[in-house]
């Protein structure tokens, strides 16, 4: 049995509550979430998510997880590591310090980092610790994306829903997985309630993404040849993501190139600047 350790801001979140079952189902019980530590206990201090009310102690009791006194203890006892806090990327650099010095295979949840500078520092820590590490939105592993040809893409359009700060990562991740890391600049369109953005890539290629209410993740691809792909709804991403995560834990195969993760965070960072001045281009940091 492989022991999985969780490091989180607070444990009563969707990813922490579902990953134990996802991992157990994928591996027939071989990978077990065994240890956890959280910086914040909703029973003592209000979590950023008002729906997070389950205490750290009760979470661990419910899922059969041993509560550790520190993130360092989780790292010491575990075989592989998950740094979660999915909606609080500003915590990832600090939460990852011991994990990335350990040499143990580590997954850092989306959103990887709050900005490109922090993302680079996290990768530097992983290299210094000789620690295999990657991060991704689960949407990158949507079943429909596996067979989409990457060569010759001229433009991509993605749609989805959710609060922009937390959910833009999914659409940007899909765009970069298809078009690569050569993003140049971002412009915001749409409205405050339904933001739409466009990113220009090297070679005069463009992608757009938009946030709407109760809209499934969907995308369209157009090639230089004039051919296209229409995916009306992405599906299967959490089981496929779990499959890839387990393969990483088993074999150390990093699932997302560093340059693509940095591109995702750079586009996201530029998009926040673009949202403050719609209709104006904002350069993607390099």
């Amino acid at each position: 049995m492989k022991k999985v350790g969780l490091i989180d801001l607070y444990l009563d979140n969707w990813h922490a509550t579902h990953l134990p079952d996802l991992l157990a189902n994928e591996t027939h019980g071989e990978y077990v979430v065994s240890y956890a530590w959280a910086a914040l206990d909703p029973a003592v201090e209000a979590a950023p998510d008002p729906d997070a009310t389950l205490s750290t102690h009760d979470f661990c009791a419910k899922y059969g997880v041993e509560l550790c006194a520190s993130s360092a203890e989780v790292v010491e006892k575990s075989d592989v590591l998950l740094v979660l806090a999915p909606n609080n990327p500003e915590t990832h650099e600090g939460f990852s310090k011991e994990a990335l010095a350990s040499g143990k295979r580590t997954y850092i949840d989306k959103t990887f980092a709050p900005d490109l500078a922090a993302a680079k520092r996290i990768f530097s820590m992983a290299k210094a610790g000789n620690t295999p590490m990657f991060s991704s939105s689960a949407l990158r592993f949507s079943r429909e994306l596996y067979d989409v040809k990457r060569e010759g893409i001229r433009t991509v359009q993605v749609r989805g829903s959710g609060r922009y700060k937390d959910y833009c990562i999914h659409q940007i991740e899909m765009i970069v997985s298809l078009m690569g890391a050569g993003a140049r600049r971002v412009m915001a369109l749409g409205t405050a309630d339904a933001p739409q953005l466009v990113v220009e890539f090297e070679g005069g290629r463009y992608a757009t993404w938009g946030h709407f209410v109760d809209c499934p993740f969907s995308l369209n691809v157009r090639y230089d040849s004039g051919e296209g792909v229409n995916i009306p709804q992405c599906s299967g991403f959490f089981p496929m993501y779990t499959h890839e995560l387990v393969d990483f834990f088993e074999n150390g195969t990093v699932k997302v190139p560093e340059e693509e993760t940095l591109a995702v965070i750079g586009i996201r960072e530029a998009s926040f600047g673009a949202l403050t001045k719609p209709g104006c281009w904002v350069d993607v940091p390099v």
Side-chain angles (χ1 to χ4, degrees):
M1 184 181 75
K2 298 294 181 64
K3 296 178 179 179
V4 181
L6 297 185
I7 297 170
D8 213 333
L9 177 60
Y10 54 92
L11 293 172
D12 191 11
N13 65 72
W14 196 97
H15 290 206
T17 57
H18 286 79
L19 274 169
D21 284 343
L22 285 166
L23 287 168
N25 292 338
E26 173 66 26
T27 64
H28 304 288
E30 177 64 20
Y31 278 78
V32 177
V33 175
S34 303
Y35 305 105
W37 172 85
L40 186 157
D41 188 338
V44 178
E45 179 183 356
D49 180 357
D51 294 328
T53 58
L54 191 65
S55 74
T56 302
H57 178 273
D58 289 346
F59 176 95
C60 290
K62 180 177 179 179
Y63 294 98
V65 177
E66 180 181 327
L67 177 59
C68 293
S70 66
S71 58
E73 184 182 355
V74 174
V75 173
E76 179 185 355
K77 291 182 173 180
S78 302
D79 297 311
V80 295
L81 298 159
L82 296 168
V83 179
L84 298 185
N87 294 335
N88 296 93
E90 70 279 0
T91 67
H92 286 170
E93 188 174 355
F95 286 176
S96 302
K97 185 176 180 181
E98 290 94 352
L100 296 180
S102 71
K104 297 180 179 181
R105 293 165 186 171
T106 300
Y107 172 77
I108 300 177
D109 208 352
K110 69 83 186 168
T111 299
F112 179 63
D115 52 47
L116 186 61
K120 290 180 178 180
R121 291 194 297 269
I122 295 172
F123 274 108
S124 293
M125 287 195 296
K127 292 171 186 173
N130 195 28
T131 299
M133 179 270 292
F134 86 100
S135 178
S136 181
S137 155
L139 268 294
R140 172 183 280 264
F141 304 112
S142 299
R143 183 176 289 109
E144 295 81 3
L145 289 185
Y146 272 80
D147 295 327
V148 174
K149 183 180 69 173
R150 268 61 174 173
E151 297 78 18
I153 291 177
R154 174 56 47 184
T155 187
V156 172
Q157 180 197 49
V158 188
R159 298 173 73 238
S161 60
R163 186 171 66 171
Y164 187 83
K165 172 182 174 293
D166 300 327
Y167 283 83
C168 67
I169 188 71
H170 298 305
Q171 299 192 50
I172 298 171
E173 185 88 45
M174 288 191 284
I175 288 169
V176 171
S177 76
L178 292 169
M179 300 189 74
R184 295 181 55 205
R185 55 185 184 168
V186 176
M187 180 189 293
L189 306 169
T191 65
D193 290 336
Q196 300 179 67
L197 296 98
V198 57
V199 54
E200 180 186 11
F201 284 82
E202 295 171 350
R205 299 173 298 133
Y206 292 88
T208 62
W209 70 100
H211 286 251
F212 302 92
V213 176
D214 296 328
C215 172
F217 290 104
S218 62
L219 63 90
N220 285 274
V221 178
R222 185 80 171 186
Y223 294 91
D224 289 328
S225 64
E227 298 175 313
V229 174
N230 175 41
I231 300 174
Q233 183 166 351
C234 297
S235 68
F237 39 87
F238 273 111
M240 301 296 281
Y241 151 81
T242 308
H243 176 81
E244 297 292 349
L245 179 60
V246 170
D247 184 68
F248 165 68
F249 284 155
E250 282 284 290
N251 303 306
T253 306
V254 173
K255 298 299 177 177
V256 182
E258 175 183 346
E259 61 269 20
E260 291 194 8
T261 296
L262 293 178
V264 168
I265 299 304
I267 293 170
R268 180 180 181 272
E269 180 180 347
S271 76
F272 288 118
L275 287 168
T276 67
K277 43 186 177 182
C280 299
W281 285 110
V282 173
D283 290 339
V284 174
V286 296

